[in-house]
Amino acid sequence: NAGVTQTPKFRILKIGQSMTLQCAQDMNHNYMYWYRQDPGMGLKLIYYSVGAGITDKGEVPNGYNVSRSTTEDFPLRLELAAPSQTSVYFCASSYSKVDGYTFGSGTRLTVV
Amino acid sequence: GENVEQHPSTLSVQEGDSAVIKCTYSDSASNYFPWYKQELGKRPQLIIDIRSNVGEKKDQRIAVTLNKTAKHFSLHITETQPEDSAVYFCAASSTSGTYKYIFGTGTRLKVLA
């Protein structure tokens, strides 16, 4: 049981490049989330999903896209990377919307 | 909109003393209140949670109390140790309506040896 697996752990992007952050969970959780955490700050919700085929925007969705074709996978796509997207990205999952989250280990992204 | 206020933002205690972090929520429909601990450079991890049908929950040196009337809940850490140093986040969520799982802004706890 690996929990929530995120790849890559680190990435440096040039302005205007695109990339996909991968997230997979093996706990059969319906709910999955993407957060970003800027240095010394809290967690900001980018997108979330309540099940396969269903996604919705969080508080900071601009510049990102997601898809949820299976229960296990919830990739986050960055299009046209900007320096403002430099952050640590956490994927998380939960059994329901009133249960604790299991977080992945994070992806540290730098846009230069 | 709904929000969760967390205080204090930083807290320093001597090793062995107690630490208390308080969160206040605005959505009266909230019925689930988790606490997460995030060590430096690590992921947040769930350490304890409480549901609205319970007033207090304990797990060894940590406890959470809930006051639904006042709409606040608190994390209590007794006999603090250096390894308790971390950022702690509270959150509030609800089964009703659309998805709402709101995090507090975090408290940086330093335990001084």
Side-chain angles (χ1 to χ4, degrees):
Chain A
N1 191 333
V4 178
T5 303
Q6 283 186 245
T7 55
K9 293 190 183 304
F10 304 93
R11 184 72 185 268
I12 298 175
L13 277 183
K14 293 184 178 180
I15 294 172
Q17 288 185 322
S18 299
M19 75 166 294
T20 298
L21 282 66
Q22 301 292 344
C23 177
Q25 54 91 9
D26 62 358
M27 297 171 285
N28 203 31
H29 285 171
N30 285 321
Y31 289 73
M32 296 189 74
Y33 320 89
W34 275 105
Y35 285 87
R36 61 174 288 174
Q37 186 176 38
D38 298 333
M41 303 297 284
L43 299 160
K44 293 184 179 179
L45 182 64
I46 306 171
Y47 271 95
Y48 68 97
S49 170
V50 302
I54 306 169
T55 62
D56 210 343
K57 296 177 180 178
E59 56 183 315
V60 289
N62 291 343
Y64 308 95
N65 272 301
V66 294
S67 60
R68 183 96 182 270
S69 56
T70 66
T71 299
E72 294 78 19
D73 299 299
F74 190 41
L76 177 72
R77 178 81 178 162
L78 277 74
E79 304 282 1
L80 298 175
S84 60
Q85 293 178 304
T86 293
S87 190
V88 178
Y89 291 82
F90 288 105
C91 179
S93 72
S94 67
Y95 179 71
S96 77
K97 59 182 176 179
V98 285
D99 279 301
Y101 286 8
T102 299
F103 283 88
S105 58
T107 295
R108 188 174 298 274
L109 175 67
T110 303
V111 181
V112 297
Chain B
E2 292 84 3
N3 72 316
V4 174
E5 293 188 1
Q6 184 171 346
H7 297 283
S9 56
T10 60
L11 177 60
S12 293
V13 299
Q14 290 292 327
E15 182 178 357
D17 287 351
S18 295
V20 181
I21 303 169
K22 182 175 176 178
C23 288
T24 304
Y25 60 98
S26 60
D27 185 1
S28 56
S30 296
N31 55 4
Y32 176 67
F33 308 93
W35 286 90
Y36 294 85
K37 175 183 180 182
Q38 186 177 27
E39 296 176 3
L40 189 63
K42 305 283 188 177
R43 74 191 83 183
Q45 291 194 296
L46 178 71
I47 56 171
I48 195 167
D49 57 10
I50 192 168
R51 299 185 190 273
S52 58
N53 57 347
V54 175
E56 182 176 2
K57 184 176 179 180
K58 293 185 72 174
D59 182 3
Q60 299 183 344
R61 294 188 297 107
I62 61 173
V64 57
T65 58
L66 172 65
N67 184 327
K68 287 209 70 178
T69 302
K71 291 194 284 188
H72 66 71
F73 56 109
S74 299
L75 178 70
H76 305 253
I77 306 174
T78 60
E79 301 173 16
T80 54
Q81 300 168 4
E83 53 264 38
D84 294 328
S85 296
V87 177
Y88 292 82
F89 291 98
C90 65
S93 185
S94 168
T95 49
S96 66
T98 57
Y99 171 83
K100 281 178 290 188
Y101 199 112
I102 302 171
F103 281 90
T105 50
T107 296
R108 184 173 301 277
L109 173 65
K110 295 181 184 177
V111 179
L112 307 171

